[in-house]
Structure formats: structure tokens, C-alpha cells
Amino acid sequence: MVVELIAVGTELLLGNIVNTNARFLAEKCAVLGLSIYNQSVVGDNRERLSDAVRIALKRSDILILTGGLGPTEDDLTKEVCAEVLGFPLVEDKHTRERIEEYLKNSYKKIPENNWKQALVPDGAKILDNDNGTAPGLIMEKFGKSVILLPGPPDELYPMFMDKVYPYLQGLQPETILSRMVKVCGIGESEVETKMLDLIDKQTNPTIATYAKTGEVHLRVTARASDKEAAKKMIKPVIKEIKNRFGDAVYATKEDITLEEAVVALLKKHNLTLTTAESCTGGLLSARLVNVPGVSEVFLQGFITYSNKAKRKLLDVNKATLKKYGAVSEQTAKEMAKGGVFATDSDVCIAITGLAGPDGGTDEKPVGLVYIACYLNDKITVEAHHFKGNRNKIREQSVMRALDLLRRSILEQYRK
């Protein structure tokens, strides 16, 4: 089945808002095995939106429109779609009561324009909004489905997963199941080279690769008569991928991040962690503290941007800094060792480098980053030459640091 996405809102056309909804919906539709050939963004204009809907209905089975369901006059999505499909608008008592309940503590008197959101296409499926006032809607006609979702992501995401995802699954004549394999420390081209024979002969299951900063994701999707049959088809493919990439595979679940995998390893082996950062300026620590429960293992994070801070907080030798410089293998090692002894932790991961855009030399160009890991009196250090702007270099540094930490633990605690 073919899905088409239409995002509604002049603010999207002008670039005032990034269309993150399209990415989210496209990824979820891919998991469902639905094909997407077209996406579009339309401003708050009745005629142009009507044209976009009519064109989409001719070439797609399912339309998903986001935005334009608010209470103001320029919110036109519901009205236009109802008109194109021939659905009269009627007030829905249930929706009105939900709006009243949601807004009763916000206004002494609810503004009249909010009741516009209680008007729904007669015969449409109504999707209650637990995080806002605009309900989602599903209209079915001519063998087509038109799905309207509110624009704010904190309203759209849960509504889609709780109500629309199961609806779309029900439209499929067969079960479609996906599993994600996440690989880090290997570039996309190398991953593709190692997987090329499987990708070339794929039919069912299929394998798709997605490049991310510092990692590559492989989605394995199978079509079968039921969920158990799909699982059996996917299992040997996942096993083969793990055989080919070994420790580079850090997760086989879509919702597991690299920092979550690292924290899980630290907890498993009862290890405490300290971070020592220079060029990343706390970005590594920030990624780690995104993980619930990280306080069990994360003791302290040092941001030692200056040489003085490196000496004072991490006991980096003044002679080391003078002879080799802040961006060096020797300094990275001393930062990692100093972090462990300063906090009495089991492991420290340290980062020092040149994020740019200035400060590079022929000997030490922008993008040169040293990452060191101290664990059980063993120090492992890696040199990297990252490309890109300042933010890109810092992000890649963090991903490589997390991966070095992960691999160091695996190597020393392998059974």
C-alpha cells in the first residue's frame, strides 16, 4: 500500500519550524512495510491544500496530513479534506466535552474559536487527543484512507503510536515485522561492503541500511502470514549480521541508544564511571545523563577546557602539556588516569582535540581528536581525524568515546 505525507503550515514552508513529523511518520510507515513515494508541504491556503489532497488521492492509498487542526481561521486541514471527500461537518458532543475538560483550568471562559475543534466530518473515526484539544481523524472513502493528525510532536507521536499504528497494521493483508540491528565504530561503506551479498539477494526478509553519526542501523523486515512466522524468518538474518560484525553490534532493539547500551554494561559489571572532556565541553556527560538510572554508575564529569584545568583537576603533568600539547596521546592518557584517581572510579573516558574552526596546524589539523579509556590499570587511546564543522566533530567524538568505553569493557570482561 502507498502512503503519502502532507504537512500543512506556512511556518514549515518558511523554515520557521523543522518538519520532524515527516521523519517520524516516514520511519514508522517503513516499519509497517508501507511505501512512500511522495511527501509535500503546503501553506495555510485553502485552494493549494485542496489541490494537494486531490492529487495525492489519485496516486496513493493512504494520506496522512499533519497540522492545520487548530482553532484559528487559518487552520484549514479538516475543512478542506471534508470538502474534497464530501463529508459534512457536525459537532461531536464527546469531543466538545473533552475540550472543555482540557481547558477548564486555563480560562475563566473558553474562547469561542476553540469549539471549532469539536466539529468533525460526519462518519469519520475520531482519535481522542490525550495531550491537546485537536482530535485526530480518519476518513475512509473510495477505498482510500485520509488520516489527520495534530501538528505538535508531543500530540502527534503518542496519537500515531497508540491509535494510527494499529489501524494501519489492520489494513495490511499480511503481518510485517521489523528488527533493527545497530552497529557502531564502522562506516556506512564498510557495512555495506560486508553486507552486499545479503542485500543483493534479498527478497523476504529485506535489509535496509541507515547511516547515523558514528553508527549505522540495519533494519531487517519480513512479511509473513503471522507474527511468529515473521520472527522465524528474521532470526537467522539477525544472527548472520551479528556474526559478521561481532562486537560492533551494540543493540538489536530500535529503542536502545548507544549511551543506554554503555550504561547497561557498566551496571552489569558494577563499574563506576568518570568522564574527562576538553573539546566536547560536557557533551559526553550530557548524553550519559539522558539515561534513566545512570546515577548508579556515573560519579562525576570534568570539563577541563584549559591547560590549567587539566593540571589542577586531572593532575596532567605540566611537562606533558609543554612537550606534547593539550591535543596529544600523552595528555589524553593522563586525563583518563587522573579522572579515575580524582574520583576513585573504576573507569574514566577522556577526550581532547581540535573542534575548530580555528587552531589547526599541518601537524595537528582541525578534527584531530584523542580519546583515552582507563580501566583496571590499562589505558587504551585512539586518534581520530574527523571531518565536518565544529558540532559535527564534537558529536563524532562523543560517539567514538562511548564506543571505546563499550569495547574496553567487553574486552576486559569477556567470559
Side-chain angles (χ1 to χ4, degrees):
M1 301 183 78
V2 177
V3 176
E4 186 155 341
L5 306 181
I6 301 176
V8 182
T10 301
E11 69 276 10
L12 292 169
L13 280 176
L14 297 177
N16 300 133
I17 296 177
V18 177
N19 190 8
T20 55
N21 289 341
R23 175 182 176 181
F24 169 80
L25 292 171
E27 287 182 343
K28 298 307 177 186
C29 286
V31 171
L32 287 163
L34 300 166
S35 301
I36 296 181
Y37 301 138
N38 293 281
Q39 295 184 26
S40 59
V41 179
V42 185
D44 301 309
N45 179 278
R46 183 179 292 271
E47 184 178 345
R48 287 191 285 273
L49 179 54
S50 179
D51 288 344
V53 172
R54 293 179 192 278
I55 291 169
L57 282 170
K58 291 179 181 178
R59 63 191 180 194
S60 302
D61 305 301
I62 302 166
L63 274 60
I64 302 179
L65 293 94
T66 61
L69 298 181
T72 62
E73 288 187 6
D74 63 351
D75 289 308
L76 302 166
T77 303
K78 174 177 59 185
E79 290 77 5
V80 168
C81 289
E83 181 181 319
V84 170
L85 292 169
F87 283 71
L89 293 175
V90 296
E91 184 172 273
D92 179 66
K93 182 180 178 182
H94 170 74
T95 300
R96 185 182 176 101
E97 289 173 351
R98 286 182 63 87
I99 293 171
E100 186 173 16
E101 178 66 23
Y102 191 87
L103 296 177
K104 69 179 182 180
N105 294 324
S106 300
Y107 301 98
K108 290 182 179 179
K109 182 182 179 182
I110 297 174
E112 282 298 316
N113 60 0
N114 278 104
W115 303 126
K116 172 188 174 185
Q117 294 178 301
L119 294 174
V120 303
D122 192 16
K125 291 181 172 67
I126 299 170
L127 310 176
D128 288 340
N129 187 345
D130 297 322
N131 301 283
T133 55
L137 298 161
I138 300 176
M139 290 178 274
E140 298 174 325
K141 198 167 185 179
F142 313 125
K144 311 276 187 174
S145 295
V146 178
I147 303 169
L148 312 185
L149 298 173
D154 59 351
E155 297 178 34
L156 182 147
Y157 290 14
M159 184 182 290
F160 182 87
M161 294 308 299
D162 294 343
K163 301 175 174 73
V164 178
Y165 195 94
Y167 169 80
L168 293 174
Q169 280 183 313
L171 297 180
Q172 294 280 53
E174 55 193 346
T175 296
I176 296 171
L177 188 67
S178 288
R179 284 277 302 278
M180 185 73 84
V181 181
K182 296 186 176 184
V183 176
C184 60
I186 302 177
E188 183 185 19
S189 58
E190 186 178 348
V191 170
E192 186 178 68
T193 298
K194 288 187 174 183
M195 292 295 297
L196 201 56
D197 60 319
L198 289 180
I199 293 172
D200 284 346
K201 67 181 182 182
Q202 65 181 347
T203 52
N204 187 24
T206 59
I207 304 169
T209 60
Y210 305 89
K212 309 285 183 179
T213 300
E215 57 184 310
V216 179
H217 297 177
L218 297 98
R219 185 184 298 282
V220 182
T221 304
R223 297 172 181 264
S225 57
D226 56 59
K227 189 174 182 179
E228 289 306 313
K231 282 183 178 179
K232 288 180 180 179
M233 294 170 67
I234 288 174
K235 188 175 180 180
V237 179
I238 299 290
K239 183 178 180 181
E240 180 60 25
I241 293 172
K242 292 172 76 173
N243 286 339
R244 294 189 184 200
F245 293 104
D247 287 345
V249 174
Y250 75 83
T252 56
K253 292 184 178 179
E254 187 161 9
D255 58 348
I256 299 297
T257 63
L258 181 55
E259 54 266 33
E260 287 174 329
V262 167
V263 170
L265 270 178
L266 290 165
K267 288 181 179 181
K268 178 180 178 181
H269 298 291
N270 297 312
L271 298 172
T272 53
L273 171 69
T274 295
T275 59
E277 302 179 65
S278 183
C279 64
T280 48
L283 193 60
L284 173 60
S285 298
R287 285 285 293 271
L288 287 164
V289 298
N290 280 337
V291 182
V294 73
S295 59
E296 296 176 32
V297 294
F298 186 34
L299 298 186
Q300 188 167 337
F302 293 100
I303 301 175
T304 55
Y305 214 68
S306 67
N307 285 355
K308 184 178 180 180
K310 290 178 178 67
R311 296 197 308 270
K312 182 178 179 180
L313 298 175
L314 300 174
D315 199 29
V316 175
N317 196 294
K318 187 175 182 179
T320 300
L321 291 165
K322 185 176 181 180
K323 182 176 182 179
Y324 300 105
V327 181
S328 64
E329 175 182 339
Q330 292 79 5
T331 296
K333 286 181 177 180
E334 291 190 21
M335 287 173 65
K337 183 177 180 180
V340 165
F341 284 91
T343 61
D344 196 28
S345 60
D346 298 305
V347 57
C348 178
I349 190 79
I351 307 172
T352 183
L354 289 162
D358 303 316
T361 64
D362 290 341
E363 183 182 353
K364 295 183 178 182
V366 168
L368 174 63
V369 177
Y370 289 94
I371 304 171
C373 182
Y374 185 103
L375 174 61
N376 294 334
D377 295 325
K378 178 181 178 181
I379 303 179
T380 304
V381 63
E382 295 180 347
H384 296 279
H385 294 268
F386 298 123
K387 303 295 182 183
N389 60 26
R390 183 177 180 84
N391 287 339
K392 191 75 172 177
I393 290 169
R394 294 173 70 231
E395 289 172 3
Q396 292 176 89
S397 300
V398 167
M399 292 299 291
R400 288 291 188 167
L402 288 168
D403 186 42
L404 175 59
L405 174 56
R406 185 185 67 88
R407 286 186 285 108
S408 296
I409 296 171
L410 288 174
E411 180 182 333
Q412 293 200 36
Y413 290 86
R414 195 185 308 278
K415 291 183 179 181

Short mmCIF file of all heavy atoms in Angstrom, two decimals, residues 96-121:
data_model
loop_
_atom_site.label_atom_id
_atom_site.label_comp_id
_atom_site.label_asym_id
_atom_site.label_seq_id
_atom_site.Cartn_x
_atom_site.Cartn_y
_atom_site.Cartn_z
N ARG A 96 -16.36 17.80 22.23
CA ARG A 96 -16.60 19.07 22.92
C ARG A 96 -16.38 18.93 24.42
O ARG A 96 -15.76 19.79 25.07
CB ARG A 96 -18.00 19.59 22.62
CG ARG A 96 -18.27 20.99 23.22
CD ARG A 96 -19.68 21.47 22.95
NE ARG A 96 -19.89 22.74 23.60
CZ ARG A 96 -19.87 23.93 23.01
NH1 ARG A 96 -19.64 24.00 21.70
NH2 ARG A 96 -20.08 25.05 23.69
N GLU A 97 -16.86 17.84 24.98
CA GLU A 97 -16.68 17.62 26.42
C GLU A 97 -15.21 17.46 26.78
O GLU A 97 -14.76 17.94 27.82
CB GLU A 97 -17.47 16.38 26.84
CG GLU A 97 -18.98 16.58 26.82
CD GLU A 97 -19.75 15.29 27.09
OE1 GLU A 97 -19.10 14.21 27.11
OE2 GLU A 97 -20.98 15.35 27.24
N ARG A 98 -14.45 16.78 25.92
CA ARG A 98 -13.02 16.60 26.16
C ARG A 98 -12.28 17.94 26.09
O ARG A 98 -11.37 18.21 26.88
CB ARG A 98 -12.41 15.61 25.16
CG ARG A 98 -12.79 14.16 25.44
CD ARG A 98 -12.12 13.22 24.45
NE ARG A 98 -10.67 13.27 24.57
CZ ARG A 98 -9.95 12.54 25.41
NH1 ARG A 98 -10.55 11.69 26.23
NH2 ARG A 98 -8.63 12.65 25.44
N ILE A 99 -12.66 18.78 25.13
CA ILE A 99 -12.04 20.10 25.01
C ILE A 99 -12.34 20.94 26.25
O ILE A 99 -11.46 21.60 26.81
CB ILE A 99 -12.54 20.82 23.74
CG1 ILE A 99 -12.03 20.09 22.48
CG2 ILE A 99 -12.10 22.29 23.72
CD1 ILE A 99 -12.64 20.59 21.19
N GLU A 100 -13.58 20.89 26.68
CA GLU A 100 -13.98 21.65 27.87
C GLU A 100 -13.20 21.18 29.10
O GLU A 100 -12.73 22.00 29.90
CB GLU A 100 -15.48 21.49 28.10
CG GLU A 100 -16.02 22.35 29.23
CD GLU A 100 -17.54 22.30 29.31
OE1 GLU A 100 -18.14 21.39 28.72
OE2 GLU A 100 -18.11 23.19 29.96
N GLU A 101 -13.06 19.89 29.25
CA GLU A 101 -12.32 19.34 30.39
C GLU A 101 -10.85 19.74 30.34
O GLU A 101 -10.24 20.08 31.36
CB GLU A 101 -12.45 17.81 30.40
CG GLU A 101 -11.69 17.10 31.51
CD GLU A 101 -12.23 17.42 32.90
OE1 GLU A 101 -13.41 17.82 33.02
OE2 GLU A 101 -11.46 17.29 33.87
N TYR A 102 -10.28 19.73 29.14
CA TYR A 102 -8.86 20.03 28.96
C TYR A 102 -8.56 21.50 29.26
O TYR A 102 -7.51 21.84 29.81
CB TYR A 102 -8.43 19.70 27.53
CG TYR A 102 -6.94 19.72 27.31
CD1 TYR A 102 -6.17 18.59 27.56
CD2 TYR A 102 -6.29 20.87 26.87
CE1 TYR A 102 -4.79 18.60 27.37
CE2 TYR A 102 -4.92 20.90 26.67
CZ TYR A 102 -4.18 19.76 26.93
OH TYR A 102 -2.81 19.79 26.75
N LEU A 103 -9.49 22.39 28.90
CA LEU A 103 -9.24 23.83 29.00
C LEU A 103 -9.85 24.50 30.22
O LEU A 103 -9.64 25.70 30.45
CB LEU A 103 -9.77 24.54 27.73
CG LEU A 103 -9.10 24.18 26.41
CD1 LEU A 103 -9.80 24.90 25.27
CD2 LEU A 103 -7.62 24.53 26.44
N LYS A 104 -10.59 23.77 31.02
CA LYS A 104 -11.37 24.40 32.09
C LYS A 104 -10.51 25.14 33.11
O LYS A 104 -10.96 26.13 33.70
CB LYS A 104 -12.24 23.36 32.79
CG LYS A 104 -11.49 22.33 33.60
CD LYS A 104 -12.46 21.36 34.27
CE LYS A 104 -11.73 20.33 35.15
NZ LYS A 104 -12.69 19.40 35.78
N ASN A 105 -9.29 24.71 33.32
CA ASN A 105 -8.42 25.36 34.28
C ASN A 105 -7.53 26.44 33.65
O ASN A 105 -6.76 27.10 34.34
CB ASN A 105 -7.53 24.34 34.98
CG ASN A 105 -8.34 23.39 35.86
OD1 ASN A 105 -9.31 23.79 36.48
ND2 ASN A 105 -7.94 22.13 35.89
N SER A 106 -7.65 26.59 32.33
CA SER A 106 -6.82 27.57 31.62
C SER A 106 -7.54 28.89 31.37
O SER A 106 -6.91 29.93 31.20
CB SER A 106 -6.36 26.98 30.27
OG SER A 106 -5.60 25.81 30.47
N TYR A 107 -8.87 28.86 31.32
CA TYR A 107 -9.65 30.06 31.02
C TYR A 107 -10.84 30.16 31.98
O TYR A 107 -11.41 29.14 32.38
CB TYR A 107 -10.20 30.02 29.59
CG TYR A 107 -9.16 29.92 28.51
CD1 TYR A 107 -8.84 28.68 27.93
CD2 TYR A 107 -8.50 31.05 28.04
CE1 TYR A 107 -7.89 28.59 26.93
CE2 TYR A 107 -7.56 30.97 27.04
CZ TYR A 107 -7.26 29.73 26.48
OH TYR A 107 -6.33 29.65 25.49
N LYS A 108 -11.22 31.41 32.30
CA LYS A 108 -12.47 31.61 33.01
C LYS A 108 -13.63 31.27 32.08
O LYS A 108 -14.63 30.67 32.48
CB LYS A 108 -12.58 33.06 33.49
CG LYS A 108 -11.62 33.40 34.62
CD LYS A 108 -11.81 34.84 35.09
CE LYS A 108 -10.86 35.16 36.25
NZ LYS A 108 -11.03 36.58 36.69
N LYS A 109 -13.46 31.70 30.82
CA LYS A 109 -14.43 31.36 29.79
C LYS A 109 -13.66 30.89 28.56
O LYS A 109 -12.81 31.62 28.04
CB LYS A 109 -15.31 32.56 29.43
CG LYS A 109 -16.36 32.22 28.38
CD LYS A 109 -17.19 33.43 28.01
CE LYS A 109 -18.22 33.06 26.93
NZ LYS A 109 -19.02 34.24 26.52
N ILE A 110 -13.95 29.71 28.10
CA ILE A 110 -13.23 29.14 26.96
C ILE A 110 -13.55 29.96 25.71
O ILE A 110 -14.73 30.19 25.40
CB ILE A 110 -13.62 27.67 26.75
CG1 ILE A 110 -13.19 26.85 27.97
CG2 ILE A 110 -12.96 27.11 25.49
CD1 ILE A 110 -13.65 25.41 27.95
N PRO A 111 -12.53 30.43 24.96
CA PRO A 111 -12.77 31.20 23.74
C PRO A 111 -13.62 30.43 22.74
O PRO A 111 -13.46 29.21 22.58
CB PRO A 111 -11.36 31.44 23.19
CG PRO A 111 -10.47 31.35 24.39
CD PRO A 111 -11.09 30.31 25.28
N GLU A 112 -14.50 31.15 22.07
CA GLU A 112 -15.45 30.52 21.15
C GLU A 112 -14.76 29.76 20.02
O GLU A 112 -15.25 28.72 19.57
CB GLU A 112 -16.39 31.58 20.55
CG GLU A 112 -17.50 32.02 21.48
CD GLU A 112 -18.43 30.87 21.85
OE1 GLU A 112 -18.79 30.09 20.95
OE2 GLU A 112 -18.77 30.75 23.04
N ASN A 113 -13.61 30.28 19.57
CA ASN A 113 -12.97 29.61 18.42
C ASN A 113 -12.49 28.20 18.75
O ASN A 113 -12.26 27.38 17.86
CB ASN A 113 -11.83 30.45 17.85
CG ASN A 113 -10.72 30.73 18.85
OD1 ASN A 113 -10.77 30.30 19.99
ND2 ASN A 113 -9.70 31.46 18.40
N ASN A 114 -12.32 27.87 20.05
CA ASN A 114 -11.91 26.51 20.41
C ASN A 114 -12.98 25.46 20.06
O ASN A 114 -12.66 24.29 19.84
CB ASN A 114 -11.59 26.41 21.89
CG ASN A 114 -10.18 26.89 22.22
OD1 ASN A 114 -10.00 27.98 22.75
ND2 ASN A 114 -9.18 26.10 21.88
N TRP A 115 -14.24 25.89 20.03
CA TRP A 115 -15.31 24.93 19.72
C TRP A 115 -15.27 24.49 18.27
O TRP A 115 -15.89 23.49 17.90
CB TRP A 115 -16.68 25.52 20.07
CG TRP A 115 -16.76 25.92 21.51
CD1 TRP A 115 -17.11 27.14 22.00
CD2 TRP A 115 -16.46 25.10 22.65
NE1 TRP A 115 -17.04 27.15 23.37
CE2 TRP A 115 -16.66 25.91 23.80
CE3 TRP A 115 -16.06 23.79 22.82
CZ2 TRP A 115 -16.47 25.44 25.09
CZ3 TRP A 115 -15.86 23.31 24.11
CH2 TRP A 115 -16.06 24.12 25.23
N LYS A 116 -14.49 25.22 17.44
CA LYS A 116 -14.29 24.79 16.06
C LYS A 116 -13.67 23.39 16.02
O LYS A 116 -13.94 22.59 15.12
CB LYS A 116 -13.37 25.79 15.35
CG LYS A 116 -12.92 25.37 13.96
CD LYS A 116 -11.87 26.32 13.42
CE LYS A 116 -11.32 25.81 12.10
NZ LYS A 116 -10.20 26.63 11.59
N GLN A 117 -12.86 23.08 17.03
CA GLN A 117 -12.18 21.78 17.05
C GLN A 117 -13.13 20.64 17.40
O GLN A 117 -12.76 19.48 17.26
CB GLN A 117 -11.02 21.83 18.04
CG GLN A 117 -9.92 22.79 17.60
CD GLN A 117 -8.79 22.87 18.60
OE1 GLN A 117 -9.01 23.23 19.77
NE2 GLN A 117 -7.58 22.53 18.18
N ALA A 118 -14.34 20.97 17.86
CA ALA A 118 -15.34 19.93 18.14
C ALA A 118 -16.14 19.56 16.91
O ALA A 118 -16.93 18.61 16.93
CB ALA A 118 -16.29 20.40 19.24
N LEU A 119 -15.95 20.30 15.80
CA LEU A 119 -16.60 19.95 14.54
C LEU A 119 -15.80 18.86 13.85
O LEU A 119 -14.58 19.00 13.65
CB LEU A 119 -16.70 21.18 13.63
CG LEU A 119 -17.60 22.32 14.11
CD1 LEU A 119 -17.46 23.52 13.17
CD2 LEU A 119 -19.04 21.85 14.18
N VAL A 120 -16.47 17.79 13.48
CA VAL A 120 -15.78 16.66 12.86
C VAL A 120 -16.53 16.21 11.61
O VAL A 120 -17.75 16.43 11.51
CB VAL A 120 -15.66 15.47 13.83
CG1 VAL A 120 -14.94 15.89 15.11
CG2 VAL A 120 -17.02 14.89 14.16
N PRO A 121 -15.84 15.62 10.64
CA PRO A 121 -16.54 15.09 9.47
C PRO A 121 -17.50 13.97 9.88
O PRO A 121 -17.11 13.05 10.61
CB PRO A 121 -15.39 14.54 8.60
CG PRO A 121 -14.17 15.27 9.08
CD PRO A 121 -14.38 15.48 10.54
#
